Amino acid sequence: MAKNLVIVESPAKAKTIEGYLGKDYVVKSSYGHVRDLAKKGLAIDLEASFAPQYEVSPDKKQVVAELKKLAKAADTIWLATDEDREGEAISWHLYETLELQKKDTKRITFNEITKTAVTRAIENPRQINQELVDAQQARRVLDRIVGFELSPVLWKKVRPSLSAGRVQSVAVRLIVEREREIEQFNSEGFYRVQGQFMSENGVLNAELNQQIPDKQTALDLLNDAKNAKFSVEDVQQKPATKYPAAPFTTSTLQQEASLKLGFSVSKTMSVAQRLYEAGYITYMRTDSVNLSQTALDAAKTAITSLYGEQYSKPTKYNTKSAGAQEAHEAIRPTDFTRSSISAERDEQRLYELIWKRGIASQMTPAQLERTTIKINGLSSSYYFQAKGEVLIFDGFLKVYLASNVDDELDENEATEGLLPKVSVGSVLELQNSTATERFSRPPSRYVEASLVKKLEELGIGRPSTYAPTISTIQKRNYVEKQEREGSLRTYAQLLLDQTGIQEIAKTETTGKEKNKLSPTDIGIVVTDFLVAHFEQILDYQFTAKVEASFDEIANGKLNWTDMLQSFYGPFHSNVENTLTHSERATGERELGTDPKSGRKIIARIGRFGPMIQIGDEQSDGLKPQFASLQANQSINSITLEEALKLFELPKVLGEHANEVVKVNIGRFGPYVQIGKRFCSIPKEEDPMSISLERAIELDALKQEEAAKALIKTFDENPDVQLLNGRYGAYLKIGKDNFKLPKDCEPETLTLAACLEIAANQPTKSAKKRPFRKK
């Protein structure tokens, strides 16, 4: 048995490290956390200084048993989990759960999985940092308390099965507030005037120095330009310097991978995790832009070798974030001489992005010459100007240029490029000029990357929490990624050329979006309720202050239980007061009256989601009618006309094979019903416009799929079926599904064998009634 046991979080990390250590070391994985707060109840003793009640996860009992056995046989146990708070907590939980002895246990960390880094860590072990552990415990306990006490308030006051979280609710609030800004935005038109001039040395494209407010002013200006004599009034040439961006932090990597590679935040972290565990990059959860001296020297050597000494400029960057840990490094390659790797395509692309950003950060700034030409000739105070730039020395641009998540591309905007040589007094001839109608734009909806940037700016969350937060708010249906086709918009363009001035009507698509984050109806209602009754929890500054408190705990400046105590008292009182005194929140919005009955029509959140209601039993004594909204509809924007159409369902389309064909919307969306058979209508199709022929086609496709899935049935008990599913063959009895034993051939199973398999497996319905053989 090996004298040394090294424990890490993941099998991939274990495999890489094992290759660096000798036969005296065995490296094993804990597969993440081995224990957590007990799932049942709050699992926190509020009366005993918030003592957490931990339990080993059921799926980790075997892992713990194996690690205990190996630990007893080893002379020294090395806890080599990640260097952040989460990693420190995993080591502490391992220490407690495995019942390790302090004298036999050593804590080691490294921010890159290379032989040099691992060897150096073994030579410089330390003890578990309890302050880092306490900071992680404080976050975990606080988040459990908030979720455990807030969620039941939402169940009672909004809708069952909802949840709230300290950071997730604030993230949803950002998206809700941005949506309201967009809804309240009034777009205003203006005109952008551009001119094309001919000089002695070529064409000069210029733009008017300011926007024109309306069409008449634009016409007046073009009439003025028609007879004007244009010349160059001024030429300014100024040197300019463009600097490289700092190496990646977690948030900037997430933003850049989104913009350049189209990765979601969670995909970026998943791919980066694999690169780190394979030894290609440094640790990927960091808010530091610092590079070690070793890394600076390695980058300088690589740059000098690849591009020449004139491209190298070693630079140390300072982190702006107050809570950043400068002892950690930015995300960088472990080997700057390796510009690409042999791996899966996503891993190659992300690695190359990290390599380019890291190398570019240590390269010389780019040198440019910027030219601005002022053109006079108009009788008003307006004038044309042309801007251009020339790259004198490319510097870091030879490798990489950072994107900006806030940039909005506009194909009508002039781009800066090379300009023909002109001098002051040069006469210019106007070839043509256009005045194009443009429109002011509302703020953009967040994409995942821009939401991460906003959270970081506000001090909400940390590198380890951005991806889980964004995933959670989508999984819980508070936020969704919508694809908007946009709508056609007509705009005017006035063209002045040799023939005179003409007006041209043009069209463009506006409002087209993809992967933008929008709040759902339930997300809006929950946010409004929480802002109204839990203002502090939803306050951006308060949430940032809590994050700062975690940093203070990690730095030994604040006791974690004192921090929790100061939070819990006011919070708990707020919960009790809201449960007692607040009204139910439904997001109710009155649309008008039903033309047939004269009853009030409202849009609101119901037990199963957004819906339309006709009438109110309390006011008119009659039972109300209900209709579910379609997937692309919202209680905040649906019109009375659209709402009334929903009550045309269920709609009878006709008959097929002597069975009535209907279309309807149910709890899980729109569907076609033929007799007792049901099939879903695809999301992209409007149930109101489904024809009889299309309904029959959808039913036939569903039956065809069902026939392919069917392996075997039994005449003596039709409820028992053997089917092919997404993950292989399975047994279905009534509404219950059962796994088949390994190496089982479903075609050979008898009815008795199927019932025996079912009798030995628990079912959802078995909790309500005993399983009976037929």
Side-chain angles (χ1 to χ4, degrees), residues 482-704:
Q482 285 195 353
E483 195 163 326
R484 291 177 168 83
E485 292 300 320
S487 57
L488 280 179
R489 174 172 67 190
T490 302
Y491 67 96
Q493 186 177 71
L494 306 174
L495 171 64
L496 166 64
D497 58 17
Q498 305 305 319
T499 63
I501 300 173
Q502 56 181 308
E503 182 175 338
I504 306 164
K506 293 193 168 188
T507 57
E508 63 185 351
T509 300
T510 180
K512 188 172 184 178
E513 290 182 339
K514 190 177 181 181
N515 289 331
K516 296 287 181 80
L517 298 170
S518 301
T520 61
D521 284 340
I522 192 65
I524 293 170
V525 172
V526 167
T527 298
D528 289 345
F529 178 82
L530 292 175
V531 169
H533 299 287
F534 294 91
E535 187 178 1
Q536 188 181 49
I537 292 291
L538 271 286
D539 181 75
Y540 301 131
Q541 289 184 337
F542 174 77
T543 309
K545 187 180 174 184
V546 170
E547 293 293 345
S549 295
F550 294 147
D551 294 339
E552 288 184 27
I553 294 166
N555 293 325
K557 296 177 181 177
L558 180 65
N559 180 280
W560 73 285
T561 56
D562 290 346
M563 178 261 184
L564 290 173
Q565 188 64 57
S566 65
F567 168 86
Y568 182 70
F571 170 70
H572 183 66
S573 298
N574 195 355
V575 169
E576 291 186 323
N577 182 61
T578 305
L579 280 169
T580 306
H581 298 109
S582 67
E583 298 293 323
R584 281 187 60 82
T586 63
E588 185 175 307
R589 175 172 160 259
E590 189 170 336
L591 304 179
T593 55
D594 178 18
K596 292 180 182 177
S597 65
R599 302 174 80 192
K600 182 172 71 174
I601 297 181
I602 59 171
R604 69 179 182 89
I605 294 291
R607 182 178 177 83
F608 300 116
M611 68 177 193
I612 303 298
Q613 178 179 326
I614 298 179
D616 182 354
E617 199 166 354
Q618 290 182 342
S619 60
D620 55 28
L622 300 172
K623 193 173 181 181
Q625 293 175 264
F626 303 100
S628 297
L629 269 65
Q630 295 182 43
N632 61 344
Q633 294 176 325
S634 165
I635 61 173
N636 294 295
S637 59
I638 192 169
T639 64
L640 176 61
E641 184 183 7
E642 290 167 339
L644 288 169
K645 280 187 177 180
L646 296 174
F647 289 92
E648 295 174 9
L649 300 173
K651 182 178 175 184
V652 176
L653 302 178
E655 288 192 4
H656 174 62
N658 296 320
E659 291 184 304
V660 175
V661 181
K662 298 178 186 177
V663 63
N664 202 358
I665 297 178
R667 183 178 170 186
F668 302 108
Y671 64 90
V672 167
Q673 180 181 355
I674 301 182
K676 293 184 178 180
R677 299 190 306 278
F678 300 86
C679 63
S680 296
I681 296 172
K683 284 183 181 179
E684 62 273 11
E685 295 187 40
D686 180 5
M688 304 302 296
S689 59
I690 289 284
S691 65
L692 175 63
E693 291 74 17
R694 178 58 175 156
I696 294 168
E697 182 185 2
L698 289 170
D699 175 64
L701 289 169
K702 174 77 180 288
Q703 289 191 70
E704 191 179 322

Side-chain angles (χ1 to χ4, degrees), residues 269-285:
M269 295 313 291
S270 174
V271 176
Q273 178 94 29
R274 296 200 295 273
L275 290 173
Y276 166 67
E277 290 174 347
Y280 291 127
I281 63 169
T282 52
Y283 191 54
M284 65 285 156
R285 293 188 185 92

Side-chain angles (χ1 to χ4, degrees), residues 409-443:
L409 294 177
D410 187 338
E411 61 187 18
N412 297 292
E413 287 183 8
T415 55
E416 296 183 0
L418 290 171
L419 300 174
K421 189 172 180 61
V422 295
S423 55
V424 174
S426 295
V427 175
L428 303 174
E429 183 183 342
L430 179 64
Q431 300 291 296
N432 62 70
S433 181
T434 57
T436 306
E437 187 179 16
R438 296 289 79 215
F439 303 89
S440 57
R441 291 182 295 194

Side-chain angles (χ1 to χ4, degrees), residues 254-299:
Q254 289 168 345
Q255 291 166 46
E256 197 75 341
S258 171
L259 294 166
K260 280 192 161 66
L261 308 180
F263 285 7
S264 68
V265 167
S266 57
K267 180 175 181 177
T268 299
M269 295 313 291
S270 174
V271 176
Q273 178 94 29
R274 296 200 295 273
L275 290 173
Y276 166 67
E277 290 174 347
Y280 291 127
I281 63 169
T282 52
Y283 191 54
M284 65 285 156
R285 293 188 185 92
T286 177
D287 46 14
S288 172
V289 292
N290 183 47
L291 292 179
S292 67
Q293 189 57 51
T294 305
L296 293 171
D297 294 342

Side-chain angles (χ1 to χ4, degrees), residues 71 111 129 179 190 282 303 376 418 471 661 675 746:
N111 77 322
N129 184 327
E179 196 69 22
F190 60 91
T282 52
I303 293 163
N376 66 12
L418 290 171
S471 296
V661 181

